[in-house]
Amino acid sequence: MSASESHHIPLEFDRLSEEEMLERADSMLLRMQGRRSVRHFDTTPVPLDVIRRCIAAAGTAPSGAHKQPWTFCLVTNAEVKRAIREAAEKEEYENYHGRMSNRWLEDLKVFDTNHFKAHLEEAPAVIVVFRQVWTVSESTEGPKQQNYYVQESVGIACGMLINALHESGLVSLTHTPSPMEFLTEILKRPSNERAFLLIPVGYPAEDCTVPHLERKPLGEIMVEIH
Ligand code: IYR
């Protein structure tokens, strides 16, 4: 099949000098090393256009067969955030009081977490990411379209979103209350969507602290085979 038959277009790409590549990789690494998950938010509103652009950036993620099987629900409504918090706390109470193993609870000690989730109300915005297990084409009457590698695709998009938020001067938390079905109900999402990740977004509280953690050095996360 020729390029024109498969609707290919020329790639726009500028080769950089090795020096510039290293400089960019270095400065990106430095900025990414400064990102932390934050659990204590300032209640000050954030510019929603910034978040909208970050979501647009997440939407550039690669996906299985380019199905883009994601929906980003941006929530700022105080009543809806309260409903999410209440439902999340109910599930998390069960998690912390029997559903999580002792080893799991032990592993979480450094984070000082519990079933109280004030950040779900305090953060001025909460993004709930949904994965689309199938897609309905055009009209809702249309046939179900299969999606592929949905977890991988939405996971990559979420990573890009978290980085975009950080790059834009906001902080976030990746929160996965379990189970998450209540989000479908509260946000009135269609039957092809499943909640994937809940991301409170905002500015950090003035007195915000984060756990003293270290990241694995490169030598521990990479093997090279040349
Ligand atoms: N979902 C719970 C517990 C929790 C689990 C993991 I894995 C974490 O990295 C942090 C918390 C909660 O949000 O508190």
Side-chain angles (χ1 to χ4, degrees):
M1 196 189 283
S2 78
S4 61
E5 280 175 303
S6 59
H7 304 291
H8 280 210
I9 55 170
L11 172 71
E12 278 179 37
F13 182 85
D14 292 320
R15 258 191 209 215
L16 306 173
S17 70
E18 200 170 318
E19 194 187 359
E20 171 134 30
M21 286 165 73
L22 257 178
E23 210 176 283
R24 286 199 193 195
D26 250 348
S27 78
M28 178 202 57
L29 172 61
L30 258 179
R31 293 198 306 275
M32 289 181 89
Q33 283 170 332
R35 188 200 56 78
R36 296 301 310 261
S37 290
V38 159
R39 291 185 166 79
H40 311 286
F41 289 85
D42 196 319
T43 55
T44 309
V46 292
L48 293 185
D49 270 343
V50 172
I51 300 186
R52 290 186 186 108
R53 279 166 178 73
C54 293
I55 291 174
T60 69
S63 61
H66 193 54
K67 295 287 183 179
Q68 306 169 82
W70 41 63
T71 304
F72 300 88
C73 213
L74 173 56
V75 181
T76 59
N77 180 288
E79 279 168 36
V80 177
K81 284 193 296 172
R82 181 170 315 129
I84 292 175
R85 174 186 177 175
E86 282 171 5
E89 286 185 342
K90 222 163 138 184
E91 294 297 350
E92 294 290 20
Y93 182 89
E94 298 301 328
N95 291 335
Y96 280 91
H97 297 86
R99 288 205 290 231
M100 290 193 292
S101 64
N102 285 337
R103 179 182 285 190
W104 192 348
L105 293 171
E106 192 62 35
D107 278 340
L108 291 182
K109 273 196 174 145
V110 59
F111 304 100
D112 215 9
T113 56
N114 54 40
H115 69 279
F116 292 114
K117 299 297 173 195
H119 51 257
L120 292 175
E121 269 190 278
E122 287 166 359
V126 172
I127 303 171
V128 186
V129 185
F130 288 85
R131 62 185 167 92
Q132 300 174 355
V133 287
W134 71 85
T135 304
V136 181
S137 63
E138 292 302 288
S139 79
T140 43
E141 311 290 300
K144 284 179 187 176
Q145 279 185 31
Q146 197 177 339
N147 290 332
Y148 309 90
Y149 298 100
V150 172
Q151 305 273 5
E152 291 84 347
S153 305
V154 182
I156 293 167
C158 285
M160 292 172 70
L161 173 60
I162 290 160
N163 198 50
L165 293 165
H166 174 65
E167 283 280 302
S168 304
L170 294 166
V171 295
S172 70
L173 174 68
T174 44
H175 180 198
T176 49
S178 170
M180 287 201 276
E181 277 76 25
F182 65 87
L183 290 163
T184 308
E185 271 170 51
I186 294 173
L187 301 172
K188 300 183 175 64
R189 299 309 307 160
S191 61
N192 64 322
E193 294 188 3
R194 308 279 182 277
F196 183 80
L197 198 60
L198 218 163
I199 310 178
V201 180
Y203 302 117
E206 287 239 330
D207 57 355
C208 180
T209 60
V210 290
H212 185 57
L213 303 175
E214 273 175 27
R215 292 186 168 113
K216 289 181 183 175
L218 183 61
E220 271 182 45
I221 64 169
M222 180 180 71
V223 289
E224 297 200 33
I225 298 153
H226 298 296

